[in-house]
Amino acid sequence: MLSREENALLTRVGPGTAMGNLLRCFWQPFALASELPGADCDPLRVRLLGEDLVGFRDTSGAVGLIESKVKAVTYPGQERGGVLWAYLGSAKDIPRMPELEWTHVAASQRYVSKRIQVCNYLQNVEGEVDSSHVSFLHSKGAAPDAAGIQDLRSTLPDYMARDRAPRFFVLPTEYGMLIGARRNAEDDSYYWRVTQFLMPTYTMIPVPVGAPVSFTAATPIDDESMMGFTVTWHPDRPLREDEIAQIESWLGVHTEVDPVSFNPLRNKSNDYLIDRALQRSGRSYTGIRGIREEDLAVQESMGLIFDRTIEHLGSSDLAVIAMRRRLLEAVRALAERGETPYESRMADAYRVRSAALVLPREVAWNEGAAEALVATM
Ligand SMILES: [Fe+2]
């Protein structure tokens, strides 16, 4: 549970707010590169951290954003990994961009999507760091078998279904935190889902070692809406056709959007096209098509800004609590003592991955998973 003051501190992102100032210490993904396709292309209206901006590319192809109504400033932009990034902080102190692995691989090795989500960004980040809801919300998919497309929910390891009360472990890192969710596997082993939380709003969702890895970012448009970026990449090879077909089945963490507005086609206004008969049949937990769509339904139905003074957290919410605590610490250190968050100066530390793996019970999870968590690109 948060106090009213803490909840406001974490969720208000506009100019001059404490969280707004913290987020402005970091580069923010704000558009797909294809939205500003080339030098001297048409400009792009961008609402970002409560500011109305115009994104552009100049004659040399360089990206920037103009705020013309209040401050008449130009903010620096960058293209990395098929995504456009903006830095809305102090011009005297521009940090390096985070060296995320997917920003270094060839375009054929990654898949990038963007969606608009109509709720405060923190509701999305909380969902991303929370492994325990997977055993419920995403426990059963019932998409019809089509041309080799697998419903990932039906292939979740048995461990996820058998042990629905994972124990959480959190370790601070130079970029944020490492979150280990432990479930019983066999008598002598545990199934570990290791999620990365990277300041300020990035996560990496656990995947089996060797499979394409997924990254998410929640960029606030303003207090009541956000842009979600999801990237799936393979560090060693191009994504295969079947992997792209899997992504574009929209059963997983990417979702189908309108190509102009980036609004999800299944959204609050059409009840996420929930299939009540399918849900009643027991073959699907939610009756909603994809994993991202299930998350959207939950996160948006919590309201535009969830009132965290009324919540009841338990031990399975440890990761959510730790993530919020780090954000609160960083917000206060900046607001009260002018301390820049150290993570914003740790560009190289962002070269990490997430992992899901089975380890012998006597092996410390962070040591057993260490090799799988290192990015090589
Ligand atoms: Fe989820």
Side-chain angles (χ1 to χ4, degrees):
M1 195 172 95
L2 295 182
S3 69
R4 195 164 303 280
E5 178 254 341
E6 288 170 327
N7 200 38
L9 206 52
L10 284 177
T11 53
R12 305 271 162 79
V13 299
T17 62
M19 179 53 77
N21 289 338
L22 182 79
L23 292 168
R24 283 168 175 78
C25 294
F26 294 86
W27 285 87
Q28 301 286 335
F30 73 91
L32 301 181
S34 54
E35 294 181 76
L36 285 175
D40 291 327
C41 61
D42 291 345
L44 177 71
R45 260 198 292 271
V46 180
R47 185 162 165 79
L48 185 58
L49 304 179
E51 294 188 52
D52 288 311
L53 310 169
V54 176
F56 65 90
R57 272 195 213 257
D58 67 15
T59 305
S60 71
V63 179
L65 296 103
I66 301 171
E67 198 288 325
S68 56
K69 282 189 201 133
V70 186
K71 291 178 280 188
V73 291
T74 303
Y75 295 119
Q78 288 273 343
E79 176 178 346
R80 278 266 190 118
V83 172
L84 303 180
W85 303 67
Y87 176 73
L88 273 53
S90 162
K92 286 179 294 214
D93 194 16
I94 303 176
R96 285 173 53 204
M97 300 212 28
E99 301 289 352
L100 295 155
E101 186 173 51
W102 60 267
T103 66
H104 293 291
V105 302
S108 60
Q109 291 173 238
R110 67 172 170 254
Y111 189 101
V112 184
S113 72
K114 171 185 157 182
R115 69 177 186 281
I116 303 293
Q117 193 165 326
V118 188
C119 66
N120 184 261
Y121 79 98
L122 190 60
Q123 282 151 236
N124 177 227
V125 183
E126 287 170 342
E128 300 298 333
V129 300
D130 168 48
S131 179
S132 56
H133 79 276
V134 180
S135 288
F136 298 88
L137 186 66
H138 310 310
S139 62
K140 266 187 208 167
D145 268 343
I149 302 293
Q150 281 188 316
D151 192 321
L152 299 175
R153 288 161 296 187
S154 307
T155 61
L156 283 176
D158 223 19
Y159 311 132
M160 302 279 281
R162 286 204 309 243
D163 186 349
R164 293 185 159 199
R167 285 204 52 192
F168 280 90
F169 301 81
V170 173
L171 286 173
T173 65
E174 292 178 322
Y175 50 84
M177 61 185 58
L178 199 56
I179 300 157
R182 190 187 82 186
R183 288 176 169 86
N184 293 325
E186 306 307 325
D187 287 344
D188 55 354
S189 59
Y190 290 124
Y191 174 61
W192 287 95
R193 286 172 57 83
V194 183
T195 300
Q196 300 279 7
F197 168 65
L198 308 101
M199 286 280 278
T201 66
Y202 317 144
T203 55
M204 290 180 193
I205 312 156
V207 287
V209 178
V213 195
S214 285
F215 164 95
T216 70
T219 302
I221 296 172
D222 49 33
D223 294 352
E224 299 183 345
S225 61
M226 55 160 278
M227 288 175 256
F229 291 86
T230 303
V231 184
T232 298
W233 79 99
H234 200 292
D236 305 323
R237 57 162 174 79
L239 293 177
R240 295 190 311 254
E241 252 175 62
D242 63 295
E243 288 167 339
I244 292 168
Q246 180 76 53
I247 289 169
E248 294 184 344
S249 71
W250 315 118
L251 294 172
V253 293
H254 294 263
T255 200
E256 189 175 21
V257 297
D258 177 275
V260 177
S261 68
F262 295 95
N263 289 316
L265 298 189
R266 297 172 181 221
N267 57 48
K268 195 169 186 173
S269 73
N270 56 26
D271 273 335
Y272 309 91
L273 299 188
I274 189 167
D275 182 339
R276 291 292 187 192
L278 176 66
Q279 186 184 30
R280 212 173 289 123
S281 76
R283 288 184 295 127
S284 162
Y285 188 79
T286 61
I288 294 172
R289 177 178 62 172
I291 289 175
R292 176 62 63 198
E293 288 154 352
E294 289 175 330
D295 283 330
L296 276 168
V298 169
Q299 292 162 19
E300 291 182 339
S301 66
M302 291 163 76
L304 294 175
I305 303 178
F306 181 60
D307 178 4
R308 294 177 180 76
T309 65
I310 58 167
E311 69 190 358
H312 298 281
L313 299 182
S315 59
S316 63
D317 296 306
L318 188 75
V320 170
I321 294 166
M323 179 274 293
R324 288 181 191 168
R325 189 177 299 142
R326 174 62 201 131
L327 280 175
L328 275 173
E329 259 171 29
V331 163
R332 288 177 171 141
L334 179 64
E336 292 161 17
R337 302 189 293 279
E339 283 174 23
T340 305
Y342 56 81
E343 296 92 341
S344 67
R345 297 293 180 266
M346 293 289 179
D348 290 310
Y350 281 67
R351 292 177 188 269
V352 294
R353 294 179 194 151
S354 54
L357 69 183
V358 174
L359 293 172
R361 292 203 174 192
E362 66 276 13
V363 171
W365 65 283
N366 55 316
E367 288 171 20
E371 201 183 329
L373 300 175
V374 178
T376 52
M377 291 295 288

